[in-house]
Amino acid sequence: MRLLHTSDWHLGRAFHRVNMLGAQAEFVGHLVTTVRERGVDAVVVSGDVYDRAVPPLAAVELFDDVLHRLAGLGVPTVMISGNHDSARRLGVGAGLIGRAGIHLRTDAAACGTPVVLTDAHGDVAFYGLPYLEPALVKDHFGVDRAGHEAVLAAAMDQVRADLAARAPGTRSVVLAHAFVTGGRASDSERDITVGGVAAVPAGVFDGVDYVALGHLHGSQTITERVRYSGSPLPYSFSEADHRKSMWLVDLGPGGALGTERVDCPVPRALARLRGHLEDLLADPALARHEDAWVEATLTDPVRPADPMARLTERFPHTLSLAFDPERAPEDPEVSYARRLAGRSEQEIAEDFVAHVRGAGPDPSERSVLRDAFDAVRADESVREVAR
């Protein structure tokens, strides 16, 4: 059975205020063409279909269009909700839509109930594990403490129990939206840390033939059978070195696996430039970036006059301008943002405690801070779903 694994469409999202709907529509067309021309038997979409819980109408219309086109090809599609989606909204009409071969899996209660497709070698069971917000599903799964590993492990126990009751030789595919240990993050993914931990070990998914992951925006292989497709389009300059693609997966008898990357259309190249303004304007080696979307970081000791206007004369698609003056690390003028770069909310809060009273928090106080951050994030998830 030939599968096309994709995820993280983020329909409705902009790139530094650039409307990406046209590029998203081009990707959708490319996906449908790939399905038709490469003999795809099933499409799997591993979450973050939309960029937010209440997407703009144009994004909903594009989603509706791709569903009609896939259904028109007669190619089954299995799709889960991600942490950006409203699971309840995305799942509206799932039963009816399923009759057209579009299988939406947005309910934690259905993790152990697969979509079963059949080819010449027998059945393939597709298990959809939507994004499982630990604070919201821990009671359903009967786990004591909210954590990604605990709830995913409980969901996978249900998957393995169902699979064990099926005919010998039944192959299995799991769709999941999670941060798996070994994955490389980018700046455009929403933080899903719970209890100070975001990642879960790949071993949670042991026992299935292929795991189609979503959430991280870079295409990557965690193990031979556990892979991220990545987002089809860039959504931050941290993705400048990404090769945007989908996985074409051939799942043979006995779970034999073959994989191939299928490149996605590139609307415009990304470039991250750094240096003194005059050097960026004069360097002939940068000519190849003149038609790219540009993020420029100026290192001039003194902020130059009209930097954006001067940059856009050479690089008309400059979208982001930052300043990082060349100064000694101990210079008191080093920016607050620079000092905080790469630090989590928990670490920043602990630094504040240390600054105020001269000593950092003890283990019990760290636990209180961690629980507070988790409670706020869980409350935000509930509010987003309820909007």
Side-chain angles (χ1 to χ4, degrees):
M1 186 171 289
R2 172 162 285 186
L3 319 176
L4 187 63
H5 167 200
T6 177
S7 72
D8 295 275
W9 296 355
H10 288 278
L11 300 181
R13 185 165 184 161
F15 180 76
H16 287 267
R17 299 178 302 282
V18 173
N19 188 319
M20 296 290 279
L21 197 66
Q24 291 169 340
E26 185 178 359
F27 159 70
V28 162
H30 170 70
L31 180 143
V32 173
T33 299
T34 301
V35 169
R36 184 177 59 248
E37 294 183 351
R38 299 299 300 271
V40 171
D41 299 304
V43 176
V44 295
V45 186
S46 299
D48 282 353
V49 174
Y50 293 121
D51 188 58
R52 55 182 186 266
V54 185
L57 179 59
V60 177
E61 290 173 340
L62 182 56
F63 179 61
D64 181 66
D65 175 63
V66 69
L67 295 191
H68 276 85
R69 293 167 75 178
L70 289 171
L73 292 175
V75 176
T77 298
V78 185
M79 184 177 295
I80 62 172
S81 50
N83 61 300
H84 279 249
D85 299 310
S86 165
R88 292 178 63 184
R89 284 189 173 87
L90 188 64
V92 168
L96 185 60
I97 294 171
R99 298 180 187 178
I102 307 295
H103 305 281
L104 302 175
R105 291 293 185 264
T106 64
D107 186 354
C111 287
T113 305
V115 175
V116 180
L117 304 178
T118 305
D119 66 4
H121 304 292
D123 290 346
V124 180
F126 291 79
Y127 298 90
L129 278 56
Y131 173 67
L132 301 173
E133 175 59 54
L136 304 183
V137 302
K138 70 180 183 69
D139 292 337
H140 168 76
F141 286 112
V143 298
D144 294 332
R145 184 174 176 84
H148 290 293
E149 183 174 356
V151 297
L152 273 171
M156 282 303 302
D157 285 344
Q158 294 183 4
V159 168
R160 283 185 282 265
D162 180 86
L163 190 58
R166 295 188 176 273
T170 299
R171 288 156 291 164
S172 53
V173 175
V174 166
L175 291 73
H177 197 86
F179 191 159
V180 175
T181 303
R184 298 181 305 278
S186 61
D187 293 343
S188 53
E189 296 123 8
R190 185 180 294 170
D191 180 31
I192 59 172
T193 301
V194 174
V197 179
V200 300
V204 165
F205 300 103
D206 285 352
V208 296
D209 294 309
Y210 184 73
V211 181
L213 293 175
H215 180 59
L216 299 185
H217 288 184
S219 177
Q220 48 202 296
T221 300
I222 305 300
T223 72
E224 185 63 19
R225 296 183 180 276
V226 180
R227 296 169 184 259
Y228 283 99
S229 67
S231 62
L233 294 167
Y235 293 113
S236 72
F237 277 101
S238 66
E239 301 168 54
D241 61 349
H242 286 190
R243 174 187 165 192
K244 295 301 184 182
S245 58
M246 303 176 284
W247 284 112
L248 197 64
V249 179
D250 288 319
L251 189 58
L257 195 69
T259 58
E260 176 189 344
R261 285 179 75 176
V262 178
D263 290 329
C264 295
V266 178
R268 193 180 296 279
L270 306 186
R272 308 184 89 174
L273 308 183
R274 181 182 180 88
H276 288 202
L277 177 59
E278 295 301 334
D279 293 339
L280 298 183
L281 297 177
D283 188 348
L286 300 182
R288 60 194 176 95
H289 299 309
E290 289 175 358
D291 195 45
W293 280 323
V294 168
E295 174 193 70
T297 301
L298 302 184
T299 60
D300 303 70
V302 177
R303 184 173 300 205
D306 300 320
M308 181 60 98
R310 295 169 67 189
L311 274 170
T312 53
E313 287 181 5
R314 184 179 188 190
F315 307 104
H317 304 289
T318 301
L319 301 180
S320 176
L321 177 60
F323 297 91
D324 188 13
E326 294 173 341
R327 294 190 176 109
E330 65 276 7
D331 191 320
E333 294 300 317
V334 172
S335 75
Y336 179 70
R338 185 174 173 184
R339 294 198 304 272
L340 298 186
R343 300 185 67 75
S344 67
E345 294 173 334
Q346 176 88 15
E347 291 170 329
I348 294 169
E350 291 179 8
D351 288 348
F352 176 75
V353 173
H355 173 74
V356 168
R357 73 179 186 192
D362 60 31
S364 64
E365 291 169 330
R366 286 193 182 93
S367 179
V368 170
L369 286 171
R370 188 163 51 243
D371 289 346
F373 282 119
D374 288 349
V376 169
R377 194 178 50 76
D379 182 64
E380 288 174 346
S381 296
V382 171
R383 289 173 182 272
E384 190 164 84
V385 169
R387 279 194 300 172

